[in-house]
Amino acid sequence: MNKLSIIDLDNMLHIVAAVQFKSGNRDNKEKVRTHVRTFTNSITGTKDLGKHILLYQVKGNNNYRKEILPAYKAFREPSEAILCWKETILDEFAAMGAIGLKEIESDDAMAVIKKSWEDESEDNVSVIVTADKDMYQLGGMFYNPYARNKEFKDRWKYVSYGDADVFFWSQILAGDPTDVSKEYCGIDMIGMKTAEKLLITKDPKDYPEIVTNIYKEKVPDKPEEKARMTYMMLKLVDSVDYPYLPQRAKDEINDLIKSYPIKISSFEDGLESLFEFDEAD
């Protein structure tokens, strides 16, 4: 088994900035850099992760979703901690050899690399290293090093590809209010738990039609247009085969597919027990 852990450093950005700022650090850049390197080493030294690759969004990331819907993540204001330490932390990510993303999000890049890596060989297995549950739509193995006060075994989660399908189409019904208002995406009064109940007993091949019909029933104004917008905002792209992608995003995806293998770093393999999972889990 060839394991590749795909590590989202964007989670680390916010944690390190908050910890350093809360401790009173406003000007000691070396202390922040050391924190980043130590935190990263604590992840890459984790047993069961195999080889690894690091990803982050560069300052001024030109997220293609904002071109489609300017309201996407428009209400997010950077914290004082981020304003103070973002540039220093991003510089350290770059110094460590992480891949900086300009046109797509780290979530998309993880999806691209996972697909490319696993398509290459039946022996290749990916681990998505993140705190972001939105990634569950990809299915597979996940590891969360960012949660506080969790046992090692509780940081792992396997999402079957059937459950990943349910999760994604439930998101299309519920939207994701942390990223975009329900004015633009998702259906009012439907959350993830309700959405999952509407889909869980149905045939997966019928999910698109079921979701479309629920939109038509619940959304009075341009329901299909709203459903389509929600899909474009929430779907993680794993290739260039999405007609709504602007060329600059396609170019970055193609460059990523070509270049990511040379960015893979090795470290000692650990136990493989956590990869012995049942497809039905």
Side-chain angles (χ1 to χ4, degrees), residues 74-94:
F75 54 83
R76 291 189 177 182
E77 293 292 335
S79 66
E80 286 185 285
I82 288 295
L83 291 173
C84 181
W85 287 120
K86 183 174 182 176
E87 187 171 346
T88 300
I89 294 171
L90 295 187
D91 286 347
E92 191 59 31
F93 289 167

Side-chain angles (χ1 to χ4, degrees), residues 6-158:
I6 308 167
I7 302 173
D8 177 9
L9 293 178
D10 295 330
N11 299 133
M12 187 185 297
L13 164 66
H14 293 275
I15 294 171
V16 171
V19 169
Q20 290 294 324
F21 194 84
K22 188 175 180 180
S23 72
N25 184 9
R26 302 291 189 274
D27 54 13
N28 189 336
K29 293 184 178 182
E30 187 54 38
K31 188 175 181 180
V32 174
R33 294 189 186 103
T34 298
H35 189 170
V36 170
R37 291 193 296 270
T38 302
F39 201 159
T40 303
N41 289 340
S42 75
I43 297 172
T44 59
T46 301
K47 62 182 179 180
D48 285 302
L49 287 183
K51 300 174 182 178
H52 68 273
I53 192 163
L54 307 172
L55 300 169
Y56 73 102
Q57 291 172 202
V58 301
K59 186 177 181 180
N61 174 276
N62 191 25
N63 191 331
Y64 76 87
R65 288 178 177 85
K66 292 182 180 179
E67 183 176 307
I68 299 171
L69 180 64
Y72 182 73
K73 295 186 177 180
F75 54 83
R76 291 189 177 182
E77 293 292 335
S79 66
E80 286 185 285
I82 288 295
L83 291 173
C84 181
W85 287 120
K86 183 174 182 176
E87 187 171 346
T88 300
I89 294 171
L90 295 187
D91 286 347
E92 191 59 31
F93 289 167
M96 294 190 304
I99 296 176
L101 303 159
K102 298 178 181 178
E103 309 293 346
I104 62 176
E105 296 185 60
S106 297
D107 293 1
D108 298 310
M110 287 191 284
V112 169
I113 293 173
K114 174 179 166 65
K115 183 178 188 303
S116 179
W117 175 254
E118 293 181 353
D119 284 353
E120 186 179 298
S121 170
E122 291 182 357
D123 293 329
N124 287 357
V125 175
S126 302
V127 183
I128 300 296
V129 181
T130 184
D132 190 350
K133 291 183 179 179
D134 291 345
M135 300 302 300
Y136 288 173
Q137 66 174 265
L138 298 181
M141 184 62 79
F142 296 84
Y143 177 70
N144 180 4
Y146 301 111
R148 298 179 63 183
N149 303 320
K150 277 197 173 186
E151 297 289 335
F152 177 72
K153 63 182 179 61
D154 296 327
R155 295 181 182 278
W156 295 85
K157 183 177 180 65
Y158 176 70

Side-chain angles (χ1 to χ4, degrees), residues 197-213:
K197 289 178 182 177
L198 293 169
L199 297 173
I200 195 69
T201 61
K202 304 298 192 298
D203 190 325
K205 73 177 186 298
D206 295 330
Y207 289 166
E209 182 180 356
I210 292 168
V211 168
T212 299
N213 288 337

Side-chain angles (χ1 to χ4, degrees), residues 198-241:
L198 293 169
L199 297 173
I200 195 69
T201 61
K202 304 298 192 298
D203 190 325
K205 73 177 186 298
D206 295 330
Y207 289 166
E209 182 180 356
I210 292 168
V211 168
T212 299
N213 288 337
I214 294 173
Y215 264 85
K216 288 178 179 178
E217 178 187 345
K218 301 289 187 180
V219 179
D221 185 33
K222 300 180 180 178
E224 290 175 290
E225 183 176 313
K226 190 174 187 183
R228 191 177 303 112
M229 179 62 71
T230 305
Y231 181 96
M232 290 190 289
M233 292 300 102
L234 301 187
K235 175 66 177 175
L236 299 180
V237 298
D238 56 13
S239 70
V240 297
D241 301 327

